[in-house]
Amino acid sequence: MSASTRPSVIVLAAGAGTRMKSEKPKVLHAIGGRSMLAHAIRAARGVDPEQVAVVVRHQRDRVVEHALATDADILIADQDEIPGTGRAVQAGLEALEAAGVTEGTVLVTSGDTPLMTGEALRRLAEDHTSSGNKVTVLTAVVEDASGYGRVVRGEGGEVLAIVEHKDATEQQRAIREFNGGVYAFDIAALRDALAKVTTDNAQGEMYLTDVLGLTREAGGRVAASVVEDERQVEGANDRVQLASLGKEMNRRTVEAAMRGGATVVDPATTWIDDTVTIGQDVTILPNTQLQGTTTIADGATVGPDTTLTNVEVGEGAQVIRTHGSDAVLGAGASVGPFAYLRPGTRLGARGKIGTFVETKNAEIGEGSKVPHLSYVGDATIGRESNIGAASVFVNYDGVNKHRTTIGDHVRMGSDNMYVAPVTVGDGAYSGAGTVIRKDVPAGALALTVASQRNLEGWVRDNRPGTAAAEAAAQADGAADAQSEAQN
Ligand code: UD1
Ligand code: CA
């Protein structure tokens, strides 16, 4: 296929998006783990395009930075002060021309139509070229098309024009077929028609939609292609529509996971970004959110009540009631319930991060366990070691963070404090309540706690008349009676 037969794509993203009532540009609002603009760019890339141009103006620098971070190869087209989608497309055409694209097919999509897919765009481009159209617009039919441009058809069903809601007559507003804002154009015909578009309408804007009527008048074929899946062309102009599209995108992503062999117990409370990868025979329990670059390997169980962002869950691992980000969990590992995994957590195969445990920058080796009530920060723990309940890795001296290193096959007692920097050798033990300030050699038992003293009768003498003194006196009496009976 020669280069010139590949379509190019113009993504419109210059509008102010006032209906969002947001300091953030509309196209940067996100659903399903990507901004709406990133969804649009992804769909555009799906047609294997010659070039992709993103048209910007409102909060230009912020949108440009985001667009280039999403895809470094896009062209940036600056719209001038003349408003409207028609003007935006003119700017896009100029950017394409500067990159050597002067003829053939251009697809135009909106930065606020996030369910549009690369596949649907590819089909549009093919239909457009094979039928010899100058303009093909994607449309959908709904019960109430309020707010959208309406598709006005002639008696033979031919597309005559698109009329914006604000400019439409009562009769036109009753039309249920609306403009999806996604088009294929012949570049030369588009350029000619845009030269004739004015701002003479209810909004004082250059409407791209006027190109349809103008192309028809110039004798070019104009057609509408009705999408089967009308949500693909649904736009998000405000936050109510954004949430509705977010829910639908999630429904699709969760469905794809199930079709891929995952059990999702409650799709309605399971939220999966479309950037997440899920294996086979994975079980996802209710109220679970999987975000970012999270991957769940085959046979793993996640949830209930779990949020994972950029977490790699190994084969057959279990992650229960956990909040985690930027962590790697090995095959067969077990996490939670009530664990908090912070960035830099790496748990080896068969390892355990248990109940009420927080970890950060912590490498915990194969088969090693931190089962209960602990904080593990800035630590390296070897293989098959056990950290006793209620232990704290004291990593911060008030100014700097320090690291604790623990060897293999170590058995540490409960309620230990590891005052970093400190190292515990292979096979070492420690007693309960040990404060480890000095390195522990391999095979040693570390103890810091003074031996226990019992001051007999202390409560009787110092807390007379209290319930404790009463209970102690009764216990003494019972013990006396018992020893008398035995004698
Ligand atoms: C537009 C269509 C309408 C269609 C609807 C589909 C026009 C005139 N109207 O209306 O027929 O039913 O989309 O969703 O085209 N933009 C720019 N520059 C501008 C104005 C807008 O780049 O000067 C961009 C916006 O950022 C947005 C897209 O174009 O991504 C659509 O703009 P928007 O204001 O949302 O148009 P609608 O009123 O939804
Ligand atoms: Ca819109």
Side-chain angles (χ1 to χ4, degrees):
M1 194 188 258
S2 84
S4 62
T5 64
R6 286 160 67 188
S8 286
V9 185
I10 295 173
V11 180
L12 305 185
T18 45
R19 287 166 280 183
M20 275 291 176
K21 303 220 169 76
S22 178
E23 167 274 329
K24 181 158 65 177
K26 169 167 79 173
V27 295
L28 300 199
H29 282 261
I31 58 172
R34 294 177 214 264
S35 69
M36 291 201 282
L37 180 56
H39 285 293
I41 291 173
R42 185 163 177 246
R45 281 289 168 215
V47 304
D48 187 23
E50 184 69 26
Q51 292 288 349
V52 177
V54 175
V55 185
V56 294
R57 177 170 171 83
H58 177 74
Q59 294 206 44
R60 179 210 184 266
D61 292 349
R62 206 165 154 186
V63 177
V64 167
E65 192 191 331
H66 178 80
L68 290 172
T70 303
D71 184 336
D73 295 329
I74 57 162
L75 306 171
I76 298 295
D78 280 291
Q79 187 177 348
D80 63 13
E81 68 286 348
I82 299 173
T85 48
R87 189 59 170 179
V89 167
Q90 268 181 329
L93 282 179
E94 274 170 36
L96 291 180
E97 202 169 327
V101 178
T102 54
E103 55 182 17
T105 300
V106 65
L107 303 175
V108 173
T109 70
S110 291
D112 68 347
T113 309
L115 291 184
M116 182 42 58
T117 64
E119 201 192 320
L121 289 179
R122 218 176 312 127
R123 219 176 309 121
L124 169 65
E126 280 164 17
D127 284 359
H128 173 80
T129 333
S130 64
S131 51
N133 297 339
K134 295 293 183 196
V135 183
T136 312
V137 56
L138 285 187
T139 66
V141 181
V142 290
E143 224 26 76
D144 175 11
S146 283
Y148 289 104
R150 305 300 207 284
V151 180
V152 181
R153 290 181 184 260
E155 273 161 16
E158 71 281 15
V159 176
L160 300 180
I162 288 174
V163 182
E164 288 307 294
H165 181 94
K166 286 186 178 155
D167 299 286
T169 62
E170 266 320 298
Q171 220 175 359
Q172 288 168 331
R173 285 184 182 179
I175 296 172
R176 292 167 50 224
E177 183 179 12
F178 72 89
N179 167 22
V182 176
Y183 320 76
F185 293 101
D186 172 74
I187 290 180
L190 175 61
R191 199 183 296 116
D192 290 350
L194 280 172
K196 296 180 216 153
V197 172
T198 69
T199 57
D200 184 15
N201 52 54
Q203 304 186 81
E205 295 183 357
M206 273 180 74
Y207 288 164
L208 176 60
T209 44
D210 286 354
V211 164
L212 279 78
L214 290 164
T215 303
R216 207 184 130 73
E217 280 165 29
R221 262 179 72 98
V222 174
S225 168
V226 182
V227 291
E228 283 161 35
D229 176 2
E230 76 251 11
R231 303 219 66 174
Q232 283 184 341
V233 292
E234 207 174 301
N237 295 313
D238 61 31
R239 299 192 201 223
V240 175
Q241 292 170 329
L242 185 73
S244 164
L245 285 166
K247 189 170 178 188
E248 176 59 18
M249 180 172 289
N250 186 61
R251 196 190 63 73
R252 293 173 184 210
T253 307
V254 170
E255 190 174 308
M258 293 190 289
R259 297 210 183 280
T263 294
V264 178
V265 173
D266 184 13
T269 63
T270 300
W271 289 82
I272 305 177
D273 284 354
D274 87 338
T275 44
V276 167
T277 310
I278 295 180
Q280 275 186 30
D281 290 314
V282 162
T283 301
I284 301 174
L285 294 160
N287 288 315
T288 292
Q289 294 153 281
L290 303 176
Q291 304 173 329
T293 59
T294 293
T295 61
I296 314 289
D298 294 353
T301 299
V302 180
D305 304 327
T306 293
T307 301
L308 301 180
T309 308
N310 310 330
V311 175
E312 196 180 313
V313 177
E315 244 180 83
Q318 294 210 17
V319 185
I320 304 164
R321 286 185 215 278
T322 291
H323 191 96
S325 57
D326 303 287
V328 179
L329 309 173
S334 155
V335 175
F338 307 106
Y340 181 26
L341 310 174
R342 291 170 54 201
T345 297
R346 300 178 76 89
L347 179 61
R350 295 176 295 100
K352 181 179 177 84
I353 292 174
T355 309
F356 297 109
V357 174
E358 172 179 347
T359 58
K360 187 216 76 176
N361 264 335
E363 210 161 304
I364 300 171
E366 262 181 58
S368 285
K369 295 181 174 148
V370 186
H372 329 277
L373 299 160
S374 294
Y375 171 63
V376 184
D378 299 302
T380 304
I381 299 173
R383 315 176 53 234
E384 310 293 342
S385 288
N386 192 79
I387 303 300
S391 291
V392 174
F393 284 64
V394 183
N395 57 335
Y396 187 48
D397 62 13
V399 181
N400 294 307
K401 296 277 173 71
H402 302 281
R403 205 163 179 89
T404 297
T405 305
I406 292 182
D408 300 338
H409 295 282
V410 164
R411 292 280 170 277
M412 302 308 276
S414 292
D415 197 26
N416 278 201
M417 301 284 137
Y418 301 87
V419 184
V422 75
T423 299
V424 176
D426 292 344
Y429 274 57
S430 70
T434 304
V435 179
I436 297 176
R437 296 175 191 278
K438 293 190 296 190
D439 290 356
V440 180
L445 168 67
L447 302 167
T448 56
V449 181
S451 41
Q452 181 173 330
R453 285 196 299 153
N454 293 333
L455 304 182
E456 301 272 350
W458 187 92
V459 174
R460 180 195 61 221
D461 298 343
N462 292 281
R463 296 288 183 272
T466 62
E470 178 99 343
Q474 271 181 20
D476 277 352
D480 288 351
Q482 201 178 11
S483 68
E484 248 163 56
Q486 275 166 6
N487 289 340

